[in-house]
Amino acid sequence: NKIILTSMKISFFEEFPTKENLSKLRLINFPTKLYLAAPSLKEFNEIKKSIKNRHIKEFIYWPILKRNEGYWISPFSKRSALKRIAKETKKTPIMLDLELPTRQNPFLYVTQFLNFFRNKSLIKEFIHNYNKPVYLAEYYPESKLSQLLLRFWGLHYKSKKVKVIKMIYHSLHNFKEEYVRKELETGVRELGKNYLVALGTISVGIHGNEPNIKLEQLEMDLKLAREANVNEIIIFRLGGLNKKYLRVLKKFA
């Protein structure tokens, strides 16, 4: 018989680590991890140093680019920005948010077209050679073909060393329960503890119009993840945490 975990690691993304958003950490009284967005490693370290909270067991650097550089990481991001991130990042766990620049700067599809394969190789080599944990936040594929397309577009990299974070934001997509259950079980079967799941959203992101997930839906998603033995769940994002969401999360932490 399959043994189901009684608790999971509940972590948080914070895309906008302002004083107000980080103040939500005072609500948390269980061990957690924080994925902090910053435009440079220097800024990430400064933010990390300013946070005094004994419940945060680990900080993950989430590099974000300027909007004109693509904001997220992909082979269509500005080559100079990718090289900058690769050069500056050392000795710290890192998360690459692998998304296309469509809604930030679609002009990059033209300007970086000739750099596509070189940029893809640059990202691949960085992941392969980096000697600290690498997390890859990825779109959620709806089919095997989608997964192949993600690999072609440089938004998914096969490597035993990476931890893959699949973004299952029920507030943005109408995923069917049975579909989610099967995908979670497949992810755990194929990647084990290297399969992580992002849930939410409980606050807006860079687009500014992401709806909040209903409490009942978040609880159902957490329940499915626990039944599938997902090792870690990441909530998008810390700034939206309130006592109602916290009550749901504490049932699973």
Side-chain angles (χ1 to χ4, degrees), residues 33-230:
K33 276 165 71 177
L34 194 53
Y35 295 73
L36 279 174
S40 69
L41 183 64
K42 181 174 180 284
E43 204 162 314
F44 164 77
N45 284 327
E46 284 169 0
I47 298 164
K48 187 172 85 166
K49 212 176 287 182
S50 73
I51 298 171
K52 310 291 183 219
N53 187 305
R54 63 188 174 87
H55 295 297
I56 304 174
K57 303 304 178 188
E58 194 176 356
F59 291 89
I60 312 296
Y61 174 37
W62 168 7
I64 50 170
L65 311 178
K66 294 171 186 167
R67 281 196 176 201
N68 70 331
E69 294 172 331
Y71 193 76
W72 299 294
I73 304 290
S74 83
F76 288 107
S77 303
K78 214 166 188 179
R79 184 164 177 79
S80 57
L82 293 175
K83 288 171 90 170
R84 182 181 72 240
I85 296 296
K87 188 179 177 184
E88 68 155 17
T89 310
K90 296 175 180 70
K91 297 180 181 176
T92 191
I94 189 170
M95 183 193 83
L96 304 181
D97 191 352
L98 299 173
E99 300 185 53
L100 294 169
T102 312
R103 294 181 68 177
Q104 295 301 318
N105 184 4
F107 192 54
L108 286 166
Y109 289 120
V110 178
T111 64
Q112 296 304 306
F113 177 74
L114 293 178
N115 283 330
F116 176 83
F117 290 107
R118 289 201 304 158
N119 285 351
K120 189 174 169 183
S121 292
L122 182 72
I123 298 167
K124 188 177 178 181
E125 281 172 30
F126 174 80
I127 291 167
H128 180 72
N129 295 325
Y130 200 62
N131 60 3
K132 289 290 178 183
V134 177
Y135 297 77
L136 303 179
E138 301 180 356
Y139 293 121
Y140 210 79
E142 304 226 22
S143 66
K144 292 292 179 192
L145 176 61
S146 304
Q147 190 75 9
L148 290 171
L149 286 172
L150 289 184
R151 287 182 69 184
F152 174 76
W153 291 115
L155 303 172
H156 173 75
Y157 295 86
K158 265 202 149 180
S159 169
K160 287 181 180 176
K161 64 177 283 190
V162 301
K163 297 177 188 295
V164 174
I165 304 168
K166 285 297 184 182
M167 298 181 276
I168 312 181
Y169 295 140
H170 236 128
S171 61
L172 303 178
H173 305 281
N174 188 27
F175 295 122
K176 297 283 186 289
E177 184 183 317
E178 195 49 40
Y179 167 77
V180 173
R181 187 192 303 277
K182 282 182 180 171
E183 290 299 321
L184 293 174
E185 288 172 353
T186 302
V188 171
R189 188 169 62 249
E190 290 178 357
L191 297 172
K193 288 189 175 182
N194 286 340
Y195 178 75
L196 285 60
V197 175
L199 298 179
T201 60
I202 67 170
S203 187
V204 297
I206 191 64
H207 301 315
N209 60 358
E210 294 89 340
N212 288 352
I213 192 169
K214 291 184 171 69
L215 287 170
E216 304 76 29
Q217 185 62 64
L218 179 60
E219 186 158 0
M220 175 55 73
D221 290 346
L222 286 161
K223 184 171 173 287
L224 291 173
R226 183 168 68 184
E227 287 172 358
N229 278 340
V230 175

